[in-house]
Amino acid sequence: MTRVYTALRDRLLVYDDDTTPRNDPSTQVHLEDHHLECVAVSPDAPERVFVGTFDDGLFRSSDGGESFDRLEPPIFESDAVMSVTISPHDADTVYVGTEPSRVYRSRDGGDSFEHLEGLTDLPSESEWYFPPRPDTHHVRWLEVDPFDPDRLYVGIEAGAFVIRDEGADSWRERPDGSRIDNHSLATHPEREGRVYTAAGDGYAMSDDGGETWSHPQAGLDHRYCWSVCPHPADPDRVLVSSASGASRAHTPENADAYVYRKPASNADWERLDGRGLPMGEGVVRSILEADREHETVYAATNRGLFASSDFGDSWGRVPVAWDDELEELTPRGLAVVP
């Protein structure tokens, strides 16, 4: 069974895809009337699920998404939890990013957190800002290197790509060629040093742990990138969602967003038109996430939840109830656990 968590603006959809013939798939709804921002779950501890909200801090499930409890304050200096990630090396190690930009770490599965100081002491911090709320900024994405448990990648929206060295308790910002407006980051367990970013200022890729970056853009006609997802078994094949700008990416009434695929390391990007995944007018940017065990990719848009078992050649709608009201909502997070 695969469980898919889709965080919308005001609810969390929990979908079970049980492929045995005598069982029907089911969907649960949780955390209604909260302003959701992100969701994370580790396949090494599938019973523990974290959901970040903009208004009420961090929620945790200890029963695989059947119920959720708010982690009672004071935990973070701000209730705006914008990003959560779980270390692939230790499911008890959880990182949380907030607005304003701060990073917190738990070593006990979320029972307690400590603030990792020093992020906002970086020289470029005075240049960081989030355009809809220009007096502030936030940690949009956190990613732990799958080959080095002490290496944490941090995407600031908007302002910097940052590398944290846990062993040295240090931060380094804006390495050569890195993007400024990083929306999502990804790594690959089969390629040491590989880091991907989907950013407002374009796609980029690193092969040395974020120290230097290349910008393969040929064929990528829409370069306000939002979500990035490498093939579970092939780090040179990549999917990315993008639009021409922020309003075309996030606002359903103005939306015009697309998904592109890089089929090989030396190939141009190709747009995945006519393959079953809604794109174009009225469709917001997809959030992409892979089920590594089954080599299936999921995509969440305002038109529903979709899945592809052939890395984008064809997509099918996942049978989650999706009424007209949900078409007005922009997905905020997606997590898949086999």
Side-chain angles (χ1 to χ4, degrees):
M1 181 180 74
T2 298
R3 178 161 280 197
V4 184
Y5 299 87
T6 306
L8 301 176
R9 185 182 63 205
D10 62 359
R11 71 201 71 181
L12 179 74
L13 305 181
V14 183
Y15 167 79
D16 288 329
D17 184 7
D18 192 330
T19 57
T20 57
R22 62 180 177 273
N23 290 313
D24 294 324
S26 62
T27 304
Q28 304 174 48
V29 181
H30 297 284
L31 301 175
E32 294 177 272
D33 301 323
H34 292 283
H35 187 151
L36 276 57
E37 289 289 347
C38 55
V39 58
V41 59
S42 168
D44 297 323
E47 74 285 350
R48 191 187 299 141
V49 187
F50 295 93
V51 177
T53 71
F54 190 78
D55 49 358
D56 284 316
L58 187 65
F59 286 78
R60 179 179 61 182
S61 174
S62 298
D63 54 14
E66 298 296 322
S67 62
F68 287 83
D69 295 305
R70 185 188 184 202
L71 297 184
E72 291 301 322
I75 300 175
F76 314 122
E77 197 165 326
S78 165
D79 281 337
V81 173
M82 309 298 290
S83 52
V84 182
T85 197
I86 303 166
S87 172
H89 306 277
D90 176 10
D92 286 335
T93 300
V94 183
Y95 293 92
V96 166
T98 66
E99 176 179 307
S101 295
R102 297 181 181 87
V103 175
Y104 298 82
R105 180 186 63 210
S106 174
R107 297 290 199 190
D108 53 18
D111 288 338
S112 62
F113 283 87
E114 59 179 317
H115 178 212
L116 302 179
E117 298 182 356
L119 176 64
T120 53
D121 294 330
L122 291 168
S124 73
E125 189 275 338
S126 62
E127 302 172 13
W128 302 354
Y129 75 102
F130 179 55
R133 299 185 290 277
D135 59 330
T136 189
H137 45 76
H138 51 246
V139 178
R140 170 55 66 189
W141 200 271
L142 296 160
E143 187 84 8
V144 179
D145 191 294
F147 293 87
D148 183 352
D150 288 334
R151 195 172 184 88
L152 176 69
Y153 304 115
V154 182
I156 303 296
E157 188 178 31
F161 171 83
V162 178
I163 301 172
R164 174 170 172 80
D165 184 336
E166 289 277 64
D169 190 19
S170 65
W171 309 85
R172 289 189 297 113
E173 63 168 351
R174 294 183 171 181
D176 186 36
S178 62
R179 294 304 194 186
I180 296 298
D181 189 17
N182 297 276
H183 292 141
S184 66
L185 305 168
T187 55
H188 204 287
E190 304 298 326
R191 182 69 58 84
E192 186 170 3
R194 175 64 59 87
V195 188
Y196 315 81
T197 182
D201 45 335
Y203 172 82
M205 184 183 72
S206 173
D207 275 320
D208 55 12
E211 299 293 340
T212 60
W213 293 81
S214 61
H215 310 113
Q217 304 289 95
L220 189 62
D221 297 328
H222 298 80
R223 298 187 181 180
Y224 180 90
C225 300
W226 184 258
S227 187
V228 60
C229 181
H231 189 285
D234 185 350
D236 291 328
R237 302 177 69 194
V238 189
L239 296 177
V240 70
S241 62
S242 60
S244 60
S247 67
R248 295 295 192 184
H250 306 304
T251 310
E253 56 266 28
N254 298 323
D256 187 37
Y258 299 86
V259 172
Y260 288 80
R261 177 175 62 187
K262 204 173 197 307
S265 61
N266 60 349
D268 292 350
W269 293 94
E270 55 188 10
R271 204 166 85 185
L272 299 183
D273 294 308
R275 300 171 192 253
L277 179 65
M279 297 189 299
E281 185 176 354
V283 183
V284 302
R285 79 293 181 276
S286 296
I287 297 180
L288 305 165
E289 184 68 20
D291 173 355
R292 294 190 178 278
E293 182 175 314
H294 301 105
E295 294 192 7
T296 299
V297 177
Y298 290 84
T301 77
N302 60 319
R303 297 294 175 84
L305 181 65
F306 298 81
S308 173
S309 59
D310 50 20
F311 204 62
D313 279 338
S314 60
W315 298 81
R317 177 183 283 275
V318 176
V320 176
W322 208 275
D323 58 25
D324 292 344
E325 181 186 9
L326 294 188
E327 291 195 2
E328 301 303 315
L329 301 181
T330 302
R332 303 302 180 94
L334 188 62
V336 180
V337 61

